[in-house]
Amino acid sequence: MPKLTIGLVLPDVLGTYGDDGNALVLRERARLRGIDVHIERFLLNDDIPATCDIYTLGGGEDSAQLIAAARLNASPGLQAAAADGRPVFAVCAGLQVLGHTFRAHGEEVEGVGLLDITTSPLDTRATGELLSEPTQAGITAELTEPLTGFENHMGATVLGPEAQALGVVTRGVGNGVPAGAGAAATAAPSTATRTDAKVDGVVQGSVIATYMHGPALARNPQLADLLIARALDVPLAELAPLDLEDVAQLRRERLAK
């Protein structure tokens, strides 16, 4: 029987918007396929190991971001896991903290540096439904279904040349800057269909990050299954399909909004 360990990183710090639910979704979708899976919670005073099969990080406010960045830099197991190709899924504040720099309480703060991004404040808070079409960049090449979530953030995130977008936005704000802004103008064309397109999220190496709450993996089962497949080192198509009408109904309702 396959086994998986899901690392829920700093849920006591980055747990403002219910993004802990992403780990729960991964666990249940894996269990329904007969996989032996459990969640390990790594709190603020815990060391973060590099041995989990999947990692998830959630959202939080400015103070939480400062605390999370300091802890992740002091206990760099997440960085080592990503370097080893283990999938990492980060949402909102988690996305910003994994970049080079972000702003908190009016100051520029050094992030973890896993993602080639920088984040500065938007003029107006982005709130509401967020819908995008997957770019199929990097490890998301097998994604075919629209991505849906709820955004609530003040971040304008610029992609550097090593980063690619997760989705091309068809509704909402997403990263808050065009795909071709900053150094990303020289990136691979798969970051978006046009350099002036609005985009959401980041794909770089084994890291997938987004501004989608929801929790995002409850609203995007194909994305959840992609993370499971990456952790098992199998193609997405090899995962046994799950016929879950309540999940399908939720997705239909959200896509119709």
Side-chain angles (χ1 to χ4, degrees):
M1 177 186 295
K3 295 183 178 181
L4 289 178
T5 300
I6 300 166
L8 178 53
V9 180
L10 302 178
D12 51 341
V13 178
L14 298 175
T16 304
Y17 300 106
D19 299 308
D20 294 9
N22 289 317
L24 299 177
V25 170
L26 289 169
R27 184 182 69 185
E28 294 312 305
R29 293 188 71 84
R31 283 180 173 176
L32 287 169
R33 294 181 167 97
I35 299 170
D36 181 7
V37 58
H38 70 282
I39 296 172
E40 290 190 10
R41 292 165 55 91
F42 304 113
L43 305 180
L44 181 58
N45 293 323
D46 297 329
D47 287 328
I48 301 169
T51 53
C52 293
D53 299 294
I54 309 174
Y55 295 81
T56 69
L57 299 87
E61 305 302 333
D62 282 12
S63 296
Q65 288 181 271
L66 292 170
I67 295 168
R71 185 60 191 149
L72 291 171
N73 281 318
S75 180
L78 182 70
Q79 295 90 306
D84 195 37
R86 298 170 189 262
V88 177
F89 183 66
V91 177
C92 199
L95 175 156
Q96 295 181 18
V97 164
L98 294 187
H100 295 305
T101 61
F102 60 93
R103 295 191 71 84
H105 298 309
E107 300 290 333
E108 186 172 88
V109 181
E110 185 174 341
V112 175
L114 263 183
L115 296 175
D116 186 16
I117 61 173
T118 58
T119 302
S120 57
L122 286 169
D123 293 332
T124 304
R125 177 170 288 275
T127 58
E129 289 294 309
L130 177 59
L131 184 67
S132 70
E133 293 292 333
T135 65
Q136 299 181 316
I139 66 166
T140 67
E142 294 170 283
L143 289 182
T144 58
E145 298 178 359
L147 299 165
T148 169
F150 184 89
E151 61 184 342
N152 181 10
H153 67 93
M154 281 287 292
T157 297
V158 175
L159 307 181
E162 300 300 317
Q164 295 177 281
L166 172 63
V168 178
V169 172
T170 56
R171 177 176 179 178
V173 176
N175 290 356
V177 294
T186 61
S190 59
T191 53
T193 55
R194 306 185 319 272
T195 58
D196 63 343
K198 292 194 295 183
V199 294
D200 170 65
V202 189
V203 178
Q204 185 174 338
S206 64
V207 181
I208 301 173
T210 179
Y211 277 110
M212 295 185 297
H213 299 289
L217 298 184
R219 294 176 58 158
N220 299 283
Q222 188 186 51
L223 179 56
D225 287 348
L226 177 71
L227 291 163
I228 294 170
R230 289 289 171 267
L232 295 173
D233 196 24
V234 299
L236 177 59
E238 283 192 15
L239 291 186
L242 298 177
D243 185 12
L244 303 172
E245 177 53 31
D246 55 343
V247 174
Q249 179 63 25
L250 169 65
R251 184 163 173 79
R252 286 193 294 268
E253 289 178 357
R254 293 297 90 197
L255 288 172
K257 289 292 183 180

